[in-house]
Amino acid sequence: MSNAIEQARQYIEKEDYKQALKLARKRHGKDDIQEYIGILDLLIDADYLLALEEKGIYYQYYDENHDNGDFGEKYFNQYLEKQPRSINVICDKALSRFNKGKIDESIELMDKAYDKYKSYSKIEKPRISKNEVLMGKIELLMQAKKYDDALAYLNKYETLTNGDEKSDLYKGVALQKMGKNEEAIDYLDKSLQNEDTLMALNSKGDALYELRRYKEALKSYDMCIQKEKVVEDDLEMITNFNYKAAYCCVNQGNDSEAIKYLNKTINFLNEKGRLPNDIEKIYQKCSFEKERIMKTGTVEDKEFRKTKFLTMKTSLIILGIIIILYVILRLLGYGN
């Protein structure tokens, strides 16, 4: 038995559960997952509820396969069996349901946490305020792309709090997705005054693009491209600002610049293998646009030019050398 496990066991015998949990978290910080889980299991055996939530959160966020796609829900369920009015764990479970694609159920859980907040908070002190529960629901709606619903709750949130950086960002994105581009830019600019987030820059670019303000849109997309490593797993967003940067150039009649962005988009998507249908359509659109531009004969594809091709004469010389080497090797007995 390890020193950490033994130390945790001593803490638990003294009912010093907080110290045992603190020790478990230290082991997690050291990437010693076996000891981390081992201490949590000791705490769970001792009926320490916070260890159940801790273990669920581990599988929610940190475990690579999220406990075979369970996202910690079974531990949240065990917690709620003993304390069904926990705001904290109801919200945890809502995210688990969302990650399993049960969007309506996750929203219902957030509604439950919000509507019952006052009575539930008397049972167990929540980590988050009632307004933060509302924002949690808004975030789930945004991820589910239910922008109409998200906007309605954002308006409610704004009334209650006078708005903040997060609500400005989400409201700008929601308004843009609903085609209210001028209004969206106002909120996105407010958000960008606090932080140059890729979400805000991408949405502002889209709003300007829809308003046909291509020069301004390109500036936003270029800023996105400079930061794209931050969202390297977000195929949809990276594709969006790269290919639309190309079409900003096309719409401004600058085909030579458009080719650069088209090449970047095409090469990026080529590396991704099989693409979702909507991304595949963008790939085809970019390929056809590049072909159209090249057929005009007015633009040189410098990337294509970098590829070195051998002349016929050089190719024949190399082929002759290969044949001679083959004959010599055969005479020396290799390959017999």
Side-chain angles (χ1 to χ4, degrees):
M1 184 179 297
S2 74
N3 290 335
I5 295 286
E6 182 56 36
Q7 181 66 60
R9 192 183 295 280
Q10 292 175 21
Y11 283 137
I12 292 167
E13 287 175 357
K14 297 175 184 178
E15 297 186 3
D16 193 351
Y17 304 121
K18 289 184 179 179
Q19 282 299 321
L21 182 57
K22 186 176 179 180
L23 180 59
R25 288 171 175 167
K26 284 183 179 178
R27 300 319 301 160
H28 188 197
K30 297 285 188 181
D31 288 329
D32 191 338
I33 303 305
Q34 187 174 354
E35 289 194 351
Y36 170 65
I37 296 297
I39 296 171
L40 292 181
D41 286 340
L42 289 175
L43 285 164
I44 290 168
D45 290 341
D47 290 328
Y48 187 58
L49 278 179
L50 289 182
L52 273 172
E53 187 188 16
E54 178 81 18
K55 193 169 181 181
I57 287 173
Y58 169 73
Y59 288 115
Q60 178 89 269
Y61 295 102
Y62 301 103
D63 181 53
E64 287 185 2
N65 65 7
H66 304 287
D67 197 18
N68 295 318
D70 185 63
F71 291 92
E73 186 174 2
K74 65 185 175 187
Y75 300 105
F76 302 140
N77 285 338
Q78 289 175 43
Y79 190 113
L80 290 169
E81 284 175 8
K82 298 180 179 182
Q83 182 49 275
R85 297 184 356 169
S86 168
I87 294 289
N88 298 331
V89 181
I90 290 171
C91 292
D92 292 333
K93 181 174 178 178
L95 186 55
S96 292
R97 300 308 290 161
F98 183 88
N99 286 327
K100 292 179 177 181
K102 306 294 184 180
I103 296 169
D104 290 338
E105 291 179 26
S106 70
I107 299 299
E108 286 174 10
L109 285 165
M110 294 302 288
D111 282 338
K112 180 180 179 181
Y114 185 80
D115 294 338
K116 304 290 186 180
Y117 190 91
K118 189 173 181 179
S119 61
Y120 281 20
S121 62
K122 293 177 182 178
I123 305 298
E124 177 185 282
K125 186 177 179 179
R127 288 189 303 272
I128 58 178
S129 68
K130 187 174 182 180
N131 286 335
E132 287 173 325
V133 174
L134 179 58
M135 178 52 70
K137 177 178 179 176
I138 291 166
E139 289 178 329
L140 293 181
L141 289 168
M142 291 294 294
Q143 290 183 57
K145 299 183 179 180
K146 295 188 174 187
Y147 300 113
D148 287 353
D149 292 338
L151 187 58
Y153 286 104
L154 279 161
N155 289 335
K156 180 178 181 178
Y157 183 89
E158 213 170 32
T159 301
L160 294 170
T161 66
N162 293 320
D164 54 32
E165 296 174 26
K166 192 175 284 188
S167 64
D168 287 341
L169 170 60
Y170 289 145
K171 191 164 185 178
V173 173
L175 287 166
Q176 194 284 313
K177 293 294 186 181
M178 295 169 65
K180 299 179 180 180
N181 293 299
E182 293 284 7
E183 193 177 350
I185 290 171
D186 291 339
Y187 279 95
L188 293 167
D189 280 341
K190 284 172 66 178
S191 174
L192 288 166
Q193 285 174 6
N194 292 299
E195 186 181 0
D196 285 344
T197 61
L198 268 169
M199 184 182 288
L201 288 167
N202 183 58
S203 289
K204 183 177 179 180
D206 286 350
L208 291 165
Y209 186 91
E210 293 299 322
L211 292 168
R212 300 185 180 182
R213 291 158 60 179
Y214 299 118
K215 186 175 181 180
E216 296 170 78
L218 184 57
K219 288 181 181 179
S220 288
Y221 292 139
D222 276 337
M223 291 178 71
C224 290
I225 290 169
Q226 290 170 20
K227 298 170 177 282
E228 67 181 32
K229 286 186 179 179
V230 176
V231 289
E232 60 185 359
D233 294 329
D234 194 331
L235 178 63
E236 182 179 353
M237 183 183 287
I238 293 176
T239 302
N240 181 74
F241 56 66
N242 275 288
Y243 103 87
K244 283 184 180 170
Y247 277 86
C248 284
C249 296
V250 170
N251 286 310
Q252 292 180 89
N254 191 346
D255 286 349
S256 60
E257 281 298 302
I259 284 293
K260 296 177 184 177
Y261 291 105
L262 289 169
N263 280 335
K264 184 174 184 299
T265 306
I266 292 166
N267 291 338
F268 168 73
L269 294 177
N270 273 334
E271 294 173 358
K272 300 301 176 182
R274 187 171 183 178
L275 300 169
N277 288 338
D278 54 339
I279 304 295
E280 178 66 31
K281 288 177 182 177
I282 292 172
Y283 176 81
Q284 295 296 336
K285 182 178 180 180
C286 289
S287 299
F288 291 144
E289 184 60 26
K290 178 178 177 179
E291 184 178 358
R292 181 197 67 79
I293 292 172
M294 298 310 299
K295 282 182 178 178
T296 65
T298 59
V299 176
E300 182 180 22
D301 186 351
K302 293 181 180 179
E303 180 173 313
F304 182 77
R305 192 183 64 179
K306 289 177 185 176
T307 305
K308 303 297 184 182
F309 294 96
L310 299 176
T311 64
M312 179 64 74
K313 181 179 179 181
T314 303
S315 298
L316 290 172
I317 290 171
I318 291 173
L319 178 61
I321 292 171
I322 291 171
I323 292 171
I324 291 169
L325 287 171
Y326 174 76
V327 171
I328 291 172
L329 289 171
R330 293 283 291 181
L331 291 172
L332 291 173
Y334 291 99
N336 292 328

